[in-house]
Amino acid sequence: MYLIPLILISVALCSVAGAEHIKRNIFHHTFESDTHLPRAAVSSIPSTQPLYGPSFNGSSIVLNPLVPKTQYTPQVVMMHSDGGNTGSFDYSGPIGHNAKVESYSTSLAVLLFDSEGRLTSGGITSTGVVLHAINPTSLEVLSTWTPPPNSTLILTYMQMTMDDRVIVPTKQGSIFVIQRNNTTSHPTFETVRVIELQTFLSPGEVLLNSMHDSESNIWFTTGGIIGAGDVAQPSTTLGYVTPSGAVHVQHIADQMVENGIAVSGKTVFVVTGPAGASYNTNSTGNMYAFEAAPQDLEPIKVLWNQPYAAGDSLKAGGFARGSGTTPTLLGDEYLAITDNANAQISMLIYRQKPHGTEPQLVCKVPIFEPGFGACDTGTIGHCDSDGRCAAVAFNTYNAPPILLAAPTDINGDFNNFTQLAPGMVRVDVYPNGTGCEVNWENDVRVIGGGSLSTKTGLLYTYTQDSTLAEQGLYQWYVEAVNWETGKVEWSLRTGAGGTYNSGAAGNLVAPDDTLFQGVLGGLVRVRDIV
């Protein structure tokens, strides 16, 4: 199953030097699979219902390319594309010219392409969650790294550096640093570092995030995604591990991290939602910016902290108590999240850097219809050459629950997304932060987020034919939305029936200019045939 969930005021400080436990190379031979064993070819995904309706709508289009996306330091690849969680790619996705659908019945989760087009991915096997080196063309497994017993990898927000080093936390409180070696005929994996953090976490907390900053510190937070089966946690622990092994942590009561984090240089951006004693009506969450200061008396510096409205409860179909969006960096100046206010949610645009007497919050823009709006998936961000930045949000109000187990009927009612409130909205920030505005809105019903290609100017999403879905016939489509206008330029059917339901999985634009979309049956790839 390809299932990815679309996948901190009272503060106490403590610093422990030299308390990290690092184990080098001990799992390299014991837990690495034999890379020379023959691998079975990956089969295609069958449609489990008949195909109805058009296979293609609209027409292929060539748009002016956007400027390349902002590069953040350190350069990494993640589920939301990069350390800024922009969801954008400097690759040319399909333009709809003789577009072809290919499908692969495989259990891969979170695809990480390096600068040479090599593919590393999480995977689900009979023994648990693992890492795979994957043939990017055939999607066959080339080699596998298996964690030690009783270690459950958290793939959702794992990251890979440009030198093919994967940083991934576990539910048991460890962080593994795994080096992929590409110098041999078949790639291999080596465990180069194991960080044990169990003694630094408060009772009831589970790791969620781990990311490098530009000083080679590894930042981490506890947290979880309640709508994806994680338990509510009463507090948050965040901190970082220095290259020498010193661990610095900060405990934040009655707040819980429910998303990924963003990193730009030395600054780490974290959004929290209400938990513990603050889990009540009319509650607040917090948007934070932190920086490491290992030589200071307070080694975790809070650059700024802004409360936001978290409302009374989860929205219908929601899975985050507070903001459902991982912070999205907009260039080097701004960042975007959405709140969870009661009557109508808003997009919140903040300055990344502290601004003294100027408000940290640039603007608050109400989005979606009052009473029928929610956003529990990452926004997409991009900035133009003239300094105008934009973020696109997707309405997830009344979305079906995320599947936590295989359905008994693959073509059951869980495939019907017609109750999901439609809507995408683009909010622009004026140059110099002088204001914001809604640039465009549309009524696209998005299932699982999207990805932006700066080369094509198209934002790729996933949806279904709503008219046929009301009849119990589930026809699934990739849609290409014009970034500048919000117009759907074309849509391409991928398949029919529950096997082609995205299951809240996202998509990405790959270095070979194709689009990958996760579905319950595996992976779909869309490419133009020239």
Side-chain angles (χ1 to χ4, degrees):
M1 301 288 287
Y2 186 91
L3 298 175
I4 301 180
L6 259 142
I7 348 355
L8 308 168
I9 286 294
S10 175
V11 177
L13 299 175
C14 72
S15 171
V16 182
E20 176 208 14
H21 303 289
I22 302 175
K23 308 178 184 69
R24 300 183 184 276
N25 306 325
I26 61 173
F27 300 120
H28 176 47
H29 297 294
T30 306
F31 295 103
E32 181 191 353
S33 68
D34 186 346
T35 60
H36 302 290
L37 289 176
R39 304 282 180 172
V42 180
S43 59
S44 60
I45 304 170
S47 286
T48 52
Q49 287 186 327
L51 299 175
Y52 289 98
S55 60
F56 186 86
N57 295 294
S59 59
S60 63
I61 187 168
V62 178
L63 300 172
N64 292 326
L66 309 175
V67 298
K69 70 177 188 175
T70 303
Q71 299 294 329
Y72 297 101
T73 304
Q75 292 190 28
V76 298
V77 288
M78 304 181 65
M79 179 178 70
H80 292 306
S81 176
D82 49 43
N85 303 302
T86 65
S88 62
F89 299 85
D90 289 335
Y91 306 128
S92 181
I95 62 171
H97 178 72
N98 294 329
K100 176 185 178 183
V101 175
E102 300 167 344
S103 65
Y104 304 84
S105 180
T106 181
S107 297
L108 303 181
V110 186
L111 307 184
L112 305 176
F113 286 94
D114 69 8
S115 58
E116 301 297 323
R118 294 179 290 245
L119 176 57
T120 301
S121 172
I124 313 298
T125 70
S126 59
T127 59
V129 184
V130 300
L131 295 180
H132 291 311
I134 301 294
N135 182 314
T137 302
S138 67
L139 298 193
E140 293 174 292
V141 174
L142 302 175
S143 61
T144 299
W145 179 85
T146 302
N150 302 315
S151 295
T152 306
L153 302 182
I154 304 171
L155 301 177
T156 312
Y157 299 118
M158 71 175 178
Q159 71 167 206
M160 186 170 71
T161 63
M162 289 298 101
D163 59 353
D164 285 347
R165 185 163 288 195
V166 178
I167 299 94
V168 57
T170 74
K171 288 186 176 294
Q172 290 73 29
S174 306
I175 296 175
F176 288 100
V177 181
I178 312 301
Q179 180 66 58
R180 173 170 164 163
N181 179 7
N182 300 301
T183 59
T184 58
S185 58
H186 284 75
T188 59
F189 290 103
E190 178 183 0
T191 304
V192 296
R193 194 176 187 189
V194 182
I195 303 168
E196 303 291 1
L197 296 171
Q198 296 88 342
T199 59
F200 300 98
L201 308 184
S202 298
E205 294 179 345
V206 179
L207 284 179
L208 179 64
N209 292 289
S210 57
M211 287 184 69
H212 272 303
D213 68 11
S214 60
E215 302 294 308
S216 297
N217 301 307
I218 296 180
W219 284 80
F220 60 89
T221 79
T222 59
I225 302 171
I226 297 174
D230 293 336
V231 298
Q233 299 170 34
S235 58
T236 286
T237 296
L238 65 85
Y240 61 93
V241 186
T242 68
S244 65
V247 179
H248 303 283
V249 300
Q250 180 165 308
H251 303 291
I252 304 179
D254 301 324
Q255 292 281 291
M256 176 178 169
V257 175
E258 303 175 275
N259 300 279
I261 62 178
V263 175
S264 178
K266 297 191 296 182
T267 308
V268 178
F269 301 95
V270 180
V271 61
T272 67
S278 68
Y279 198 104
N280 48 40
T281 59
N282 197 30
S283 58
T284 59
N286 290 276
M287 182 66 233
Y288 287 93
F290 296 100
E291 189 173 283
Q295 306 306 318
D296 293 357
L297 291 177
E298 294 186 354
I300 298 178
K301 184 183 298 183
V302 181
L303 300 180
W304 56 267
N305 166 28
Q306 291 282 298
Y308 70 88
D312 293 342
S313 62
L314 277 75
K315 294 289 190 293
F319 57 78
R321 177 60 184 83
S323 174
T325 55
T326 291
T328 299
L329 302 188
L330 306 177
D332 294 319
E333 295 293 328
Y334 312 108
L335 71 84
I337 62 169
T338 60
D339 65 16
N340 190 43
N342 285 327
Q344 185 178 18
I345 71 167
S346 294
M347 185 176 291
L348 308 178
I349 306 294
Y350 300 94
R351 292 180 173 87
Q352 293 181 27
K353 300 177 179 62
H355 269 254
T357 58
E358 292 186 62
Q360 201 68 42
L361 180 67
V362 176
C363 53
K364 175 182 176 181
V365 182
I367 57 175
F368 306 132
E369 183 180 350
F372 297 93
C375 189
D376 278 301
T377 188
T379 56
I380 308 297
H382 187 69
C383 293
D384 296 334
S385 57
D386 63 359
R388 189 181 182 98
C389 296
V392 169
F394 309 97
N395 197 349
T396 61
Y397 185 82
N398 215 26
I402 294 173
L403 290 175
L404 302 179
T408 55
D409 177 7
I410 192 61
N411 296 321
D413 291 343
F414 73 92
N415 293 290
N416 189 341
F417 280 76
T418 57
Q419 79 277 23
L420 171 66
M424 297 171 57
V425 59
R426 170 174 156 168
V427 174
D428 287 16
V429 190
Y430 301 146
N432 301 318
T434 56
C436 303
E437 68 175 356
V438 172
N439 185 305
W440 54 254
E441 298 178 81
N442 64 29
D443 60 356
V444 172
R445 184 175 276 109
V446 176
I447 303 168
S451 297
L452 172 66
S453 164
T454 62
K455 293 290 184 68
T456 66
L458 293 173
L459 173 57
Y460 302 99
T461 67
Y462 202 64
T463 191
Q464 68 180 183
D465 184 309
S466 296
T467 301
L468 290 172
E470 290 176 344
Q471 304 172 41
L473 301 172
Y474 305 114
Q475 312 291 306
W476 305 93
Y477 289 83
V478 165
E479 285 195 325
V481 177
N482 189 318
W483 174 259
E484 298 292 359
T485 67
K487 175 187 175 184
V488 177
E489 300 291 355
W490 54 262
S491 59
L492 175 69
R493 185 178 59 209
T494 58
T499 49
Y500 282 86
N501 182 337
S502 72
N507 58 24
L508 64 85
V509 183
D512 65 353
D513 301 334
T514 63
L515 178 76
F516 278 100
Q517 171 67 54
V519 297
L520 294 185
L523 283 171
V524 169
R525 175 157 49 191
V526 177
R527 67 171 79 241
D528 291 327
I529 304 300
V530 180

